[in-house]
Amino acid sequence: MSKTDTKIKILQKGSEIIHRRGFNNTGIKEILTSADVPKGSFYFYFKSKEDFGLELIDYFGRKLIDIVDEFLLNKDMSPIDRMRSLFSAFAEFNKEDDYGSGCPIGNLSQEMGNLNNAFREKLNNIFIKMENRFLDCLNEAQKEGQISSSLDAEIVSNFIVNSWEGSILRMKVAKDDKPHKSFMNLIFEEILTN
Amino acid sequence: MSKTDTKIKILQKGSEIIHRRGFNNTGIKEILTSADVPKGSFYFYFKSKEDFGLELIDYFGRKLIDIVDEFLLNKDMSPIDRMRSLFSAFAEFNKEDDYGSGCPIGNLSQEMGNLNNAFREKLNNIFIKMENRFLDCLNEAQKEGQISSSLDAEIVSNFIVNSWEGSILRMKVAKDDKPHKSFMNLIFEEILTN
């Protein structure tokens, strides 16, 4: 394997373990074993565990934004239906995983937001990116008269991202999809109406 | 100090550190040093770190429910104003803390929900307790005609708890109170209306 391939493999295996178990709770040794990379070679690819964590956030962020874009940029659907289908897909991933892992960006924000400023800024920037995708959809839906023009689309896009994160968090401990259903009902039937 | 006092002191100091830094990221030694309790005496009070964690969740839960009750059972205010004042108080705590620590029950749910089933159940039960307090307020507000009778109060109480947890989580990385403002705006001006 090339140097780049090995690095990607470490990030990929690391992302799987850390998504399930958390950053501080996962050792570098465990990741290297899982990636089948010789111990001791970690520092050939990353300066430190922190440096690895920062690259891991970029890795998670790219994957998440790719999924968001796949749904929210799909012009075959109305903007509100794109949003609905995205959250249904997210809920489906969660259910298949028995609600165990949650959102990697939410997890790391909860765990590391107060511990590492570089992590914190990177994580918030991913939330802002997500929010901006929702904002575009909401602006489009307002232009088309699909939702009320009196809603403040910026506030709504912020709330959608935050309340969804809270819903995934809750599903981790509730182990059922009631939080998803409550979210869909109140966001789409009470807030995003005409 | 009596045995009970020492145990309470360990829980109190432990709660402060774990609230800021997480459960797995905090060592027993650090808690005992901070509580000024001799190393090695931990197992006199707790069977294991897990046993300590379970008692800590009860400790956090009692403190949280006490605050919730202080506001939501205050019959001098309308049920909706009680809820508003609770979230303003929560937001004030968060701001004073520079949004760093977040909600202890949300933090532990995120960190431990997927790792320990006994933790998970206890944490979810605290969320359910909170939800039931909101449900009582919403039922009362519906009876008084303060909010629409067509709202499903059970779904709304579930969503309020979850979306608030997501808002505190987001404030940890955003470091401003926009998530609180979005929450107040959409919950109280869009959902809980007449």
Side-chain angles (χ1 to χ4, degrees):
Chain A
M1 273 201 300
S2 73
K3 187 182 167 183
T4 313
D5 287 346
T6 305
K7 188 170 179 173
I8 290 172
K9 199 171 172 195
I10 297 172
L11 283 167
Q12 192 239 318
K13 288 289 177 189
S15 74
E16 286 170 17
I17 303 174
I18 287 169
H19 190 183
R20 284 198 313 276
R21 309 199 36 221
F23 185 75
N24 285 316
N25 196 34
T26 302
I28 289 170
K29 200 175 143 190
E30 190 182 349
I31 297 168
L32 294 180
T33 303
S34 162
D36 209 12
V37 170
K39 286 162 209 169
S41 67
F42 180 81
Y43 295 98
F44 182 65
Y45 301 102
F46 304 98
K47 268 181 288 179
S48 58
K49 193 181 174 192
E50 181 189 10
D51 176 48
F52 165 70
L54 291 168
E55 291 214 33
L56 191 71
I57 295 172
D58 290 336
Y59 179 88
F60 276 132
R62 278 192 302 272
K63 282 184 74 171
L64 184 61
I65 298 295
D66 278 353
I67 297 169
V68 170
D69 283 351
E70 185 192 327
F71 287 87
L72 298 193
L73 303 180
N74 172 10
K75 301 277 175 177
D76 294 340
M77 283 180 164
S78 80
I80 298 301
D81 283 347
R82 284 175 232 159
M83 289 169 54
R84 273 182 193 279
S85 62
L86 172 65
F87 288 113
S88 297
F90 276 154
E92 203 49 50
F93 296 153
N94 262 282
K95 198 173 180 178
E96 280 168 20
D97 177 47
D98 195 24
Y99 312 105
S101 308
C103 168
I105 303 303
N107 294 350
L108 288 171
S109 296
Q110 194 78 287
E111 183 186 356
M112 302 301 291
N114 198 27
L115 302 179
N116 185 307
N117 207 43
F119 278 45
R120 184 188 69 69
E121 283 181 358
K122 253 187 197 297
L123 291 160
N124 194 43
N125 284 336
I126 295 168
F127 283 131
I128 291 172
K129 243 186 206 167
M130 277 181 71
E131 236 168 74
N132 285 334
R133 300 295 202 272
F134 287 111
L135 182 60
D136 289 344
C137 276
L138 294 172
N139 284 333
E140 206 181 317
Q142 283 185 318
K143 233 178 259 168
E144 292 170 7
Q146 223 192 338
I147 58 170
S148 164
S149 61
S150 70
L151 284 171
D152 183 325
E154 211 191 302
I155 285 184
V156 176
S157 63
N158 182 255
F159 184 67
I160 286 175
V161 169
N162 303 342
S163 58
W164 178 248
E165 285 298 327
S167 303
I168 311 180
L169 162 61
R170 179 63 185 280
M171 285 190 270
K172 258 193 178 183
V173 291
K175 291 279 182 199
D176 62 38
D177 75 345
K178 188 176 169 187
H180 166 235
K181 283 183 182 158
S182 307
F183 172 88
M184 295 302 275
N185 183 279
L186 290 165
I187 296 291
F188 291 101
E189 310 307 326
E190 294 293 331
I191 295 175
L192 298 180
T193 56
N194 208 308
Chain B
M1 272 200 301
S2 74
K3 187 181 166 185
T4 312
D5 287 345
T6 305
K7 189 171 178 172
I8 289 171
K9 199 172 172 196
I10 295 172
L11 284 166
Q12 192 238 318
K13 288 290 177 188
S15 74
E16 287 170 17
I17 302 174
I18 287 168
H19 191 184
R20 285 197 313 274
R21 308 197 37 218
F23 185 74
N24 285 317
N25 196 35
T26 301
I28 289 169
K29 201 177 142 192
E30 191 181 348
I31 297 169
L32 294 179
T33 304
S34 161
D36 208 12
V37 170
K39 285 162 209 169
S41 67
F42 181 83
Y43 295 97
F44 182 64
Y45 301 102
F46 304 98
K47 269 182 285 180
S48 58
K49 193 181 174 191
E50 182 189 11
D51 176 48
F52 165 71
L54 291 168
E55 291 215 33
L56 191 72
I57 294 172
D58 289 335
Y59 179 88
F60 277 132
R62 278 192 302 272
K63 282 184 74 170
L64 185 62
I65 298 296
D66 278 352
I67 297 170
V68 170
D69 282 352
E70 184 193 328
F71 287 88
L72 298 193
L73 302 180
N74 172 11
K75 300 276 175 175
D76 294 340
M77 282 180 164
S78 79
I80 298 302
D81 283 348
R82 286 175 230 159
M83 290 169 52
R84 272 181 193 278
S85 62
L86 172 65
F87 288 115
S88 297
F90 276 155
E92 203 50 48
F93 297 153
N94 263 281
K95 198 174 180 177
E96 279 166 21
D97 177 47
D98 196 25
Y99 312 104
S101 307
C103 169
I105 303 303
N107 293 351
L108 287 171
S109 295
Q110 194 77 286
E111 183 185 356
M112 301 300 290
N114 198 28
L115 301 178
N116 184 307
N117 207 42
F119 278 44
R120 184 187 69 70
E121 282 181 358
K122 254 188 198 293
L123 290 161
N124 194 43
N125 284 337
I126 296 169
F127 283 132
I128 291 171
K129 246 188 204 163
M130 277 181 70
E131 234 167 75
N132 285 335
R133 302 297 201 271
F134 286 110
L135 182 59
D136 290 343
C137 276
L138 294 172
N139 284 333
E140 206 182 318
Q142 282 184 320
K143 235 178 258 165
E144 293 171 7
Q146 222 191 338
I147 59 170
S148 164
S149 60
S150 69
L151 284 171
D152 182 325
E154 211 191 301
I155 285 185
V156 176
S157 63
N158 182 256
F159 184 67
I160 286 175
V161 168
N162 303 341
S163 58
W164 178 247
E165 285 299 327
S167 302
I168 310 182
L169 162 61
R170 180 63 185 280
M171 286 189 270
K172 257 194 180 182
V173 292
K175 291 279 181 198
D176 62 40
D177 74 345
K178 188 177 168 185
H180 166 235
K181 285 183 180 157
S182 307
F183 172 87
M184 295 301 275
N185 183 277
L186 291 164
I187 296 291
F188 291 100
E189 311 306 326
E190 295 292 331
I191 296 174
L192 299 180
T193 55
N194 208 310

